[in-house]
Structure formats: C-alpha cells, structure tokens
Amino acid sequence: MNESCYIASLKYSPVMWNHGRGLGEPVRSAGHSVRYLMASGYDWLCADSELDVDRVEVGSDSNPLFSMLSFLTSGSLRKLRALFRSHPPSVLLFVNFNPLIDRIVIRIARQVNPQVRVVALFHEPHTEDKFVYGWKRAIMLILYEFLSQGMARRSDAAILPSGQAGSTFERFYPGFKGDSRVIPLAYADVGCDEEIKRSLVSFLGHIGNAHQKGLDLFFEMVEANAANSGTLVFQLVTGDPPERILDGLSEAARSSLLVVHRDRLTDEVICRAIRESLVVVLLQRRVMQSGALPMAFMNGTPVLVSRLEGFTQFVEEGRTGRILPVEAPLEQRFAAIDQIRDDIEFMSPLCREAYEEKFDSRCVTRHVPFLLGHDEDSS
C-alpha cells in the first residue's frame, strides 16, 4: 500500500489552501503521493479540486477548545483513523496550526506508521511586546506559543518562512532536536495576467490589529489626498467586515476609496485587484514576514514598506518597492508613490522576477528531499 505525504491545515485560513498547494504540488511533481487534510471550512475553496482532498469537521469557532469539541463529537476521529489505514501517512506537513487537534492527528498517524515524519511550518515562532495588542490578545498569544512549543517537541522538522523567523526560532526553541530550514512562503502561481492599467494605491489583508498593520497610516493618506483634491484612487482589499473601520473616514475620503470585500475572497479576485494596483502599501509597525508581499510580487506590483527586517529581507529599494522609516511623514509616503508611478514600467517586471525567484512553488522543488526526510542534512 503506497504511503502518502499529507499537507494539513486544520485551522481555517483561506490563504493556507494556496500555501498548502505551494508546498504539496512540488512533492507530487517529484513522483510522490500527496493528500490534503483540510478543515471543513475550506470546502468552498477545494470542493471542486481534482487533487486528493480529505476534509475534517473542526467547527467554525476560533476558540481552540470549542474547535476540539466539534472535532471529537463529529465523527472526525473515526474518519481520520479510516483514512490513515487506507492511505498510510509517510509525512504530515502542517501549514497552519490547530495545536490541540494537530496533536491528536499526530498520535493517530503514529499509531498507523510509527516512522511518520512530522513537519511544521512556524509562521511566527514568537511575538515580542505582546501587550501592545491588549491583554486579551496577549494572553492568547502566550497560550498559542506554549502550544506551538508542544508542536515543536512532536515534530521532526521545522519550516521557517524567513531568515528572521529562523533566527527567532533558534532563540526561543533552543531544545528543538529536529531539522529546520528557511523556505520562503510558497505560493501556487495564480497571478492575474490581464492587461489592466495600474492606477490604484492598495491596502491588502486583515484589518484587525489596525495599529500594528499601519492601517491608520494608509487612511491618513486617503484623507490627505481627498482634502487636497488629489488624483490618487485608493483601494482596500479584505475579507474582514470593513464597516466599523470605514466609519471614521470623511465623505470625501470615502468617495476616493474602492472597497473589495467578500467573506470568501478568491485568489482570482485578490489578484485582479492587485494587478490594477500601482503599489501595495504595507506600512506595518511590526512584522516578521508578510503574506501580502509575495502576492503583490506575483502580480508584478511594487510595494511601499516600513524599514523592518520582515520586509527588507525581500524588498529591493527602488527596484521592487520603496522602503520608508516606520511611521514615515506623510510627504515622504506620497513622494515614494510618485517615484513608483514614474518607474512602474521598470519595477513591475522586477517584482514578478522576485516572486519567481523566491516565492513561486517551483522554488520548493529543491527542498522536497528535506520535506520527505531524504535529504542528507535531514538524517
């Protein structure tokens, strides 16, 4: 009976369907059996997929205890045991943690195959200054990191998506006995190749933790452009309900802001919005790596970023974006956008090249032996 490499995401986050394929399809292309073990929330994304996808009921509540209760009472345990018996796991690769359920999955997999290789992708191994997010979120982050350390103890290998994440992992997981490797966030190429005029200044992503995300700096630009009868048109692309955060904008600012919002934002919608953009604005005050940056590069769109290692390790000043001081003055932000507009024909192909060289799923091909445990450095 052929063993399979399972790509698992038992916590719903739409982008993980792309990341999962970004890691899984190079393994399949190398001739290995690959299955995707996904939370039921991914149904709308992968229901029509021709790939081998197995879905597990974990509920829709973000509370890990309620999620586990749903898992335990839905028949998922029985389904998982039957799945692993019929398709024994050789590798379990977790691209997004649901730490309580993931532990159960690992235990069942090891009952079927004691030699199964467990690989975990640590998106952000440790968050500094947690209490700037408020005490409730800080406690959740502390709990999540505690559970992530438990995942590390159960894993044979760790993937870190950036050099900064790699050095952070070494500092805060000193007892990790497995293999680790930096592999930049892998994206299956779903870029928009339509010929569309680039005209929008866009913010892309979640709008929770708005201060950390620098959303206030983006809206400050929207307001200033409207107050000075500027010609820029801005765009907000998010799967989060935007009504509350838009209430603070003036009517003039609101009229110059396009909002792309759906509860279920597909890659096609996101990529088309980015392809229409002159620049994607990422003025975070704190970041380890960005999922929006590779999406911008995939679609040949430069970025405007804060001078933080999570960005500067990937962005070339004046070539794939502009790098500004954290909380740069308004005038400096507008000047950077003007520079990008003047140089867009030069910068856009370089952004696409940066995606292909760093984030394209084909870049994972050389890491397949590591993922499977066949690499000489993984023995």
Side-chain angles (χ1 to χ4, degrees), residues 153-190:
R153 289 192 295 272
R154 291 165 173 79
S155 299
D156 301 295
I159 300 172
L160 293 314
S162 67
Q164 185 184 9
S167 59
T168 301
F169 186 81
E170 290 178 2
R171 285 172 55 206
F172 290 96
Y173 296 74
F176 181 65
K177 298 185 181 349
D179 314 306
S180 63
R181 180 169 295 188
V182 172
I183 304 176
L185 286 174
Y187 275 83
D189 189 357
V190 292

Side-chain angles (χ1 to χ4, degrees), residues 257-275:
L257 176 67
L258 301 177
V259 178
V260 178
H261 166 253
R262 299 179 189 174
D263 293 333
R264 296 177 171 180
L265 271 179
T266 64
D267 283 339
E268 289 74 17
V269 170
I270 294 170
C271 287
R272 195 177 197 285
I274 297 174
R275 180 61 183 80

Side-chain angles (χ1 to χ4, degrees), residues 53-75:
V53 183
D54 303 288
R55 292 181 288 279
V56 175
E57 178 59 54
V58 297
S60 58
D61 199 294
S62 59
N63 186 308
L65 293 175
F66 290 139
S67 178
M68 185 171 69
L69 182 63
S70 176
F71 175 78
L72 294 174
T73 58
S74 64

Side-chain angles (χ1 to χ4, degrees), residues 282-301:
L282 301 168
L283 294 175
Q284 273 95 323
R285 293 178 171 92
R286 181 178 290 103
V287 68
M288 185 160 289
Q289 73 277 322
S290 167
L293 187 149
M295 288 288 282
F297 285 175
M298 180 194 297
N299 292 280
T301 305

